[in-house]
Amino acid sequence: MATEGLGLEMTELRLGLPGGGGGEKKEKKRVLLDILGGDDGGGGKNRNTGVAVGWPPVCSYRKRAIIKMYVKVSMDGAPFLRKIDINGFKGYSDFIRALENLFGLGDECEYTPIYEDKDGDWMLVGDVPWEMFTETCKRLRMKKRV
Amino acid sequence: MFPEEVLEHVFSFLNSHTDRNTASLVCKSWYEMERWCRKRVFIGNCYAVNPRVVIRRFPEVKSVELKGKPHFADFNLVPEGWGGYVYPWIVEIARAYPWLEEIRLKRMVVTDECLEIVAKSFRNFRVLVLESCEGFSTDGLAAVAANCRNLRVLDLRECEVEELSGHWLSHFPDSFTSLESLNMACLGSEVSFSALERLVARSPNLKTLRLNRTVPIEKLSTLLQRAPQLVDFGTGAYSAEIRQDVYSRLADAFSRSKNLKSLSGFWDVTPAYLPAIYSVCSQLTSLNLSYAATRSPDLTKIVSQCYNLQRLVVLDYIEDTGLNTVSMSCKDLRELVVFPSDPFVGEVDVLLTEQGLVSVSQGCSKLQSVLYFCHQMSNSALISISKNRPNLTCFRLCIIEPRVPDYVTHEPLDVGFGSIVENCKQLTRLSMSGLLTDRVFEYIGTHAKNLDMLSIAFAGDSDLGLHHVLSGCDSLRKLEIRDCPFGDKALLANASKLEKMRSLWMSSCLVSFGACKLLGQKMPGLNVEVIDERENVNSLPEYVPVEKVYIYRTVSGQRFDTPDFVRIMGKDKDDLFSDKGLKVAVLFCSNFGTFRPCCCTRSRSL
């Protein structure tokens, strides 16, 4: 079991927490911070379900085919909510079109789609990669443009 | 010394790539002989070598197999635009191998233009297999259908295809009768049923037919009647209003399919139609019900009749009771795959536990390969499994909640997985989950001497874990790690090991920019790709951990098709000779079995 090192143990490489003096902005979903921060090991206290992208390792093809992810969609001014399966779309363009059809909205869209993520924050639809969006979106709202 | 003809004849019996590679290293004349008669080339990483180098070495190739993106791309960990473009390969092989017959690609970006080149360049083209590929549309498929007169196999497995129309299938000319295998299961658009029926009817050698979801259940009997010689059949959406005439015709058609050995498809199942397949159950060696959202009793009734089953892929709806039936009925089972029906939901209302896997390991003596998703596991279950089935070669366990301990003792699952690697001496592939400390890696480094591929997530305590694996696993070629506290020390201390592996993936770990740069500088035989999408990435200090790093050995130097979020570290001329006086000394060319000391240069000729 040879450990063919390069004598680099002598080189000083400091390891620090991400953002240590580098002015790094707060990351939204850094599971790494969970590991370095308040991880109390032992029990299953760090419930990561849905926070880590790509976990559990089910490929996107299968996710789209079998897993239904119905989320509620509200629209400002509408008397009742709708539900849409966000796993049933390949990307944002299909999805936005379906949202517009759901509420009978035309081309001149007075509504901006926003969504509530797992942290409880309201985000603009379209910023993150599609797959990440499907894994973190809890509910949607069609917000009327002011 | 044998004459060339004798050697060539002997080599014709060497079919595995490893055997051929080994034979080519014996001496110069064997190397020469072998390269002229190698017909099939397998490139496990498309960036490990240049197409021209391959073509120069192997001039008489009939079959090319390439893989592109790393495995974790399946779980969206590789951002779009990373790479894996097959176009440069297609252009070169189209020029060099006009008599090429087969192309197999996995996780690559394939454009319509690529498919058009393939369609027009190879007069005797026979086999096209695209697995988990993307970038093409149904227009590309139409070009293949229209031009490949001798096509035998068109196999699209889990590809992302832009669906412009279902007309592509109609481009197969009426004179086209050589089809043996058609897998269009991943396509969403409807094809003309009459075109499909005519195609099936004029393909006497058709053995595999996997339909897509849009082919309705009422039409299945027609197709089965047209192709009684079918061995592998994938249904479309298996649902409709319950109609006696449709059911009877379907059941009758299945009962006449005496050659059927493999069934799949079954999207949107209406359970009442499932008994139609009962007559073929005892013939089946492979059954994939993993898209059938139907409950345990229906599934159990089916598997209880599959006495000859070797491969079962199913959802966790089968539950422990269903797996218990499998353990009693499917005595020839070699491979078990259980997918989760609802992995993102917290509550569990499906009764599938570790017990199901334990029963199968007890009852199925030929079981070699397992992929199992569940919510709980215990060390004692893992120990039982390892003692029941020391012949396991592939063990992939995914406990859905990260870092979950043994649910009985609340201890880490180190001892359980340790038992797996200790007892299953032929284990070549392992994926772990649950609460795991550095100890499990010590067991792995000590015992898993045949391990070829290892996948780790949310595990370990320190660099020691990674060090055990890299220093102990002699056969390791592919290592993929996410969300583990592994960092620079273990990586740099085992740098030379990385040249003996195909690739290493680490994401959300503690590997710093500085270490990646150092590794890239010291090891010219490796590409150290930092994949980092943060906006301020260029201003981050060197000790900050990277988001993702993908390290792979290569003889073709750095690639030049990278997007802006990928940086190939340590290859700039300025970096090569830094103040600390670090210079590269030895280049190990493992392909040629010789040590060649030379200076590090960017371009390398072979």
Side-chain angles (χ1 to χ4, degrees):
Chain A
M1 261 204 286
T3 46
E4 293 154 69
L6 295 167
L8 290 156
E9 298 77 26
M10 306 312 269
T11 353
E12 299 234 331
L13 285 171
R14 272 201 305 131
L15 290 178
L17 287 175
E24 186 185 326
K25 65 175 187 249
K26 173 186 166 225
E27 299 295 358
K28 274 185 282 191
K29 315 265 178 290
R30 289 295 301 245
V31 185
L32 184 56
L33 290 174
D34 284 347
I35 296 168
L36 298 173
D39 185 18
D40 56 63
K45 212 165 177 231
N46 272 342
R47 298 199 78 87
N48 270 322
T49 322
V51 174
V53 172
W55 188 267
V58 174
C59 69
S60 36
Y61 176 79
R62 168 163 294 280
K63 272 200 298 195
R64 259 204 312 278
I66 190 65
I67 293 146
K68 303 270 174 237
M69 199 98 89
Y70 282 104
V71 296
K72 292 184 190 170
V73 194
S74 61
M75 184 167 86
D76 290 353
F80 48 81
L81 280 67
R82 300 296 303 270
K83 265 201 162 170
I84 193 165
D85 172 23
I86 53 177
N87 255 340
F89 304 97
K90 284 186 182 171
Y92 282 117
S93 39
D94 284 351
F95 177 63
I96 300 289
R97 221 173 303 135
L99 271 183
E100 287 168 358
N101 286 337
L102 205 59
F103 291 106
L105 299 171
D107 281 340
E108 311 219 335
C109 200
E110 311 161 0
Y111 294 89
T112 312
I114 60 175
Y115 71 101
E116 186 184 1
D117 73 0
K118 300 270 183 202
D119 293 334
D121 297 320
W122 283 92
M123 320 283 299
L124 183 66
V125 168
D127 281 343
V128 301
W130 171 254
E131 296 293 346
M132 188 189 281
F133 167 71
T134 63
E135 290 176 9
T136 56
C137 171
K138 265 175 50 192
R139 57 191 297 161
L140 284 147
R141 179 177 156 207
M142 300 296 272
K143 183 165 153 46
K144 193 150 188 165
R145 286 189 221 266
V146 199
Chain B
M1 278 292 269
F2 289 127
E4 282 185 6
E5 298 79 20
V6 175
L7 263 185
E8 193 175 331
H9 184 67
V10 170
F11 284 157
S12 69
F13 293 101
L14 293 179
N15 290 319
S16 93
H17 302 287
T18 345
D19 287 345
R20 282 232 162 214
N21 290 345
T22 310
S24 71
L25 294 178
V26 167
C27 63
K28 266 203 148 146
S29 66
W30 280 42
Y31 174 85
E32 276 303 310
M33 177 87 278
E34 195 281 318
R35 77 181 189 94
W36 278 98
C37 64
R38 187 170 317 203
K39 299 279 182 282
R40 322 177 65 90
V41 171
F42 168 74
I43 312 281
N45 174 3
C46 64
Y47 290 121
V49 65
N50 272 323
R52 290 198 182 174
V53 167
V54 175
I55 290 165
R56 202 178 332 140
R57 180 172 172 186
F58 302 115
E60 300 285 319
V61 162
K62 291 276 189 301
S63 159
V64 173
E65 185 175 347
L66 288 168
K67 293 188 179 181
K69 299 181 203 174
H71 175 235
F72 274 179
D74 288 353
F75 317 124
N76 307 311
L77 290 180
V78 176
E80 200 169 315
W82 171 83
Y85 306 105
V86 80
Y87 182 80
W89 284 87
I90 298 290
V91 164
E92 297 291 345
I93 68 182
R95 200 181 310 151
Y97 301 137
W99 293 104
L100 189 80
E101 294 175 3
E102 306 181 358
I103 293 176
R104 292 177 170 81
L105 306 175
K106 187 168 182 179
R107 290 194 206 98
M108 296 200 77
V109 178
V110 182
T111 59
D112 282 345
E113 195 183 347
C114 295
L115 293 178
E116 278 152 28
I117 296 174
V118 168
K120 309 240 169 91
S121 308
F122 308 114
R123 263 163 291 170
N124 199 21
F125 195 67
R126 295 181 176 202
V127 172
L128 182 63
V129 178
L130 302 177
E131 183 171 358
S132 303
C133 293
E134 44 153 358
F136 60 102
S137 77
T138 43
D139 282 355
L141 296 178
V144 171
N147 294 290
C148 300
R149 308 271 170 79
N150 293 311
L151 195 70
R152 309 268 201 268
V153 175
L154 179 60
D155 187 344
L156 308 171
R157 297 178 198 169
E158 302 191 4
C159 291
E160 295 264 354
V161 183
E162 196 190 342
E163 315 260 0
L164 298 175
S165 104
H167 276 327
W168 67 272
L169 191 87
S170 312
H171 285 251
F172 282 114
D174 291 338
S175 54
F176 173 69
T177 58
S178 54
L179 198 62
E180 292 174 12
S181 171
L182 176 63
N183 177 3
M184 44 180 254
C186 64
L187 297 180
S189 51
E190 197 174 330
V191 296
S192 147
F193 185 76
S194 60
L196 176 62
E197 190 186 345
R198 280 195 315 268
L199 176 64
V200 169
R202 68 175 185 275
S203 305
N205 297 319
L206 191 68
K207 297 281 189 304
T208 298
L209 178 63
R210 294 195 180 187
L211 305 169
N212 71 354
R213 223 162 168 165
T214 64
V215 179
I217 196 173
E218 296 91 353
K219 298 268 172 56
L220 294 183
S221 46
T222 312
L223 291 172
L224 285 171
Q225 278 153 17
R226 290 282 186 199
Q229 76 284 4
L230 272 183
V231 172
D232 181 329
F233 184 60
T235 74
Y238 204 73
S239 63
E241 270 175 28
I242 300 160
R243 281 174 46 191
Q244 191 52 47
D245 57 331
V246 172
Y247 177 86
S248 306
R249 248 181 298 142
L250 186 58
D252 190 59
F254 272 120
S255 69
R256 289 172 199 279
S257 301
K258 298 292 182 206
N259 295 296
L260 217 49
K261 289 211 161 47
S262 170
L263 274 183
S264 59
F266 299 106
W267 285 283
D268 311 321
V269 156
T270 300
Y273 278 105
L274 283 173
I277 71 168
Y278 285 175
S279 60
V280 294
C281 283
S282 60
Q283 294 164 206
L284 295 179
T285 55
S286 172
L287 178 60
N288 187 335
L289 289 167
S290 66
Y291 294 103
T294 187
R295 288 296 178 155
S296 185
D298 300 312
L299 297 173
T300 306
K301 271 214 207 76
I302 295 172
V303 298
S304 66
Q305 301 176 63
C306 296
Y307 312 122
N308 289 305
L309 205 61
Q310 295 178 16
R311 180 171 192 259
L312 176 64
V313 186
V314 77
L315 286 173
D316 55 7
Y317 287 133
I318 196 165
E319 298 187 344
D320 288 346
T321 48
L323 288 179
N324 197 36
T325 304
V326 169
S327 75
M328 293 190 298
S329 310
C330 311
K331 291 303 189 186
D332 213 16
L333 198 72
R334 319 280 163 103
E335 184 180 352
L336 175 69
V337 176
V338 179
F339 282 119
S341 48
D342 218 341
F344 299 107
V345 161
E347 315 89 55
V348 180
D349 69 339
V350 168
L351 296 166
L352 180 103
T353 69
E354 81 285 3
Q355 209 33 61
L357 183 56
V358 173
S359 334
V360 175
S361 76
Q362 257 160 8
C364 302
S365 63
K366 298 202 189 147
L367 187 71
Q368 285 181 309
S369 175
V370 171
L371 170 55
Y372 200 77
F373 284 78
C374 60
H375 290 271
Q376 66 185 40
M377 187 50 64
S378 66
N379 282 311
S380 70
L382 285 170
I383 292 168
S384 299
I385 292 164
S386 73
K387 294 207 166 128
N388 291 336
R389 290 281 61 79
N391 51 327
L392 282 175
T393 54
C394 169
F395 187 72
R396 297 160 70 189
L397 178 69
C398 179
I399 306 166
I400 290 176
E401 192 69 35
R403 302 198 202 93
V404 148
D406 177 323
Y407 77 99
V408 177
T409 65
H410 302 291
E411 287 181 357
L413 291 171
D414 299 337
V415 169
F417 278 104
S419 181
I420 294 277
V421 293
E422 200 177 344
N423 290 326
C424 305
K425 303 202 195 308
Q426 299 310 311
L427 199 70
T428 51
R429 186 167 179 185
L430 177 65
S431 302
M432 307 190 294
S433 52
L435 184 66
L436 297 163
T437 72
D438 283 347
R439 251 179 99 200
V440 74
F441 299 111
E442 195 179 343
Y443 294 139
I444 291 173
T446 309
H447 296 288
K449 296 305 182 186
N450 286 315
L451 199 64
D452 173 274
M453 182 169 180
L454 178 62
S455 311
I456 310 170
F458 304 104
D461 309 309
S462 74
D463 270 42
L464 205 51
L466 180 57
H467 176 69
H468 284 309
V469 170
L470 288 176
S471 57
C473 295
D474 301 331
S475 310
L476 194 66
R477 286 186 318 118
K478 289 173 280 182
L479 179 58
E480 43 185 29
I481 303 172
R482 62 163 296 172
D483 295 277
C484 295
F486 299 149
D488 301 345
K489 278 210 196 109
L491 200 60
L492 294 172
N494 291 284
S496 54
K497 168 72 172 182
L498 299 178
E499 262 185 343
K500 299 190 185 84
M501 293 167 55
R502 182 189 295 172
S503 65
L504 167 62
W505 168 281
M506 293 179 73
S507 56
S508 305
C509 295
L510 297 174
V511 180
S512 69
F513 282 97
C516 291
K517 190 163 144 191
L518 200 56
L519 196 61
Q521 287 168 358
K522 299 292 283 182
M523 312 294 293
L526 296 178
N527 273 353
V528 179
E529 293 194 8
V530 166
I531 300 163
D532 202 311
E533 293 175 283
R534 284 175 287 192
E535 274 163 27
N536 61 340
V537 67
N538 287 319
S539 56
L540 293 173
E542 289 209 337
Y543 57 79
V544 167
V546 302
E547 283 189 338
K548 302 168 185 172
V549 61
Y550 180 49
I551 302 166
Y552 53 90
R553 71 174 171 187
T554 178
V555 293
S556 68
Q558 64 169 303
R559 60 183 177 111
F560 295 99
D561 61 355
T562 50
D564 56 10
F565 55 81
V566 173
R567 292 162 66 195
I568 304 190
M569 306 295 282
K571 300 298 186 209
D572 301 327
K573 277 210 217 101
D574 303 330
D575 289 343
L576 280 177
F577 302 99
S578 74
D579 312 343
K580 294 195 172 145
L582 301 167
K583 285 189 186 181
V584 177
V586 173
L587 218 56
F588 184 127
C589 299
S590 53
N591 275 351
F592 295 85
T594 56
F595 288 83
R596 293 210 297 207
C598 46
C599 285
C600 175
T601 52
R602 236 203 290 164
S603 64
R604 304 197 20 238
S605 57
L606 290 163

